[in-house]
Amino acid sequence: MDPPFLHELAKDAIATFPGDTAGAINHIVTNLTATYGATHINPKQDEWVFNNAGGAMGAMYVIHASITEYLIIFGTPLGTEGHTGRHTADDYFYILEGAEWAYAPPSLKKEVYPPGSVHHLRRGQVKQYKMHENCFALEYARGWIPPMLPFGFADTFTSNFDFPTLWVTVHITGREMIRNLLVGKI
């Protein structure tokens, strides 16, 4: 997948469905399916699951998962804040609704990402971030994905003990990764 293409797709979804996150998500999934084929895109737009990572909580819908890429919708109507984690992949956060703030020392200033913008967290970088109320984003990660998975699972074992949600997350992610491996997508 191509980060500039995804950025343009996110901006087009916002312009086509202003204030309608569900419409924007459907627009994104429809266009991704047309571009990359149904083999690589999870069409189950009602397959949302809670995600706790780095102290932040929201919900996600896995659009695509392979061992070198993932594409999800992540967000919450309530707002959340946490640690980005330090990852083995570049992470692109395309804001669809709301706003994200980010911060990394030694700067004393926050970074602000409104709808239509992209927050690119380069592999190995780390930041504090905050998603305000009603913030949803298209998140694309490109790189070596398996080492990122424990970050998404760790809060289950250290704070929330929500093993049913962990099971659903592992099931969806594993299903999508295996489905892509079976068609030669690493």
Side-chain angles (χ1 to χ4, degrees), residues 156-175:
T156 299
F157 299 98
T158 60
S159 66
N160 65 40
F161 305 110
D162 184 4
F163 294 104
T165 295
L166 175 64
W167 166 250
V168 174
T169 302
V170 170
H171 172 77
I172 294 168
T173 304
R175 179 194 72 210

Side-chain angles (χ1 to χ4, degrees), residues 2 13 17 45 57 71 77 138-139:
D2 179 52
F17 294 92
Q45 294 182 43
M57 181 178 185
L71 185 66
L138 176 67
E139 181 180 356

Side-chain angles (χ1 to χ4, degrees), residues 106-125:
S107 173
L108 301 177
K109 303 287 183 186
K110 69 182 172 204
E111 303 164 18
V112 177
Y113 299 95
S117 66
V118 59
H119 178 193
H120 179 198
L121 185 70
R122 288 171 175 74
R123 75 185 68 209
Q125 282 187 328

Side-chain angles (χ1 to χ4, degrees), residues 1 3 15 22 61 66 73 76 179:
M1 295 187 182
Y61 156 46
S66 69
I73 301 290
T76 174
R179 186 167 75 126

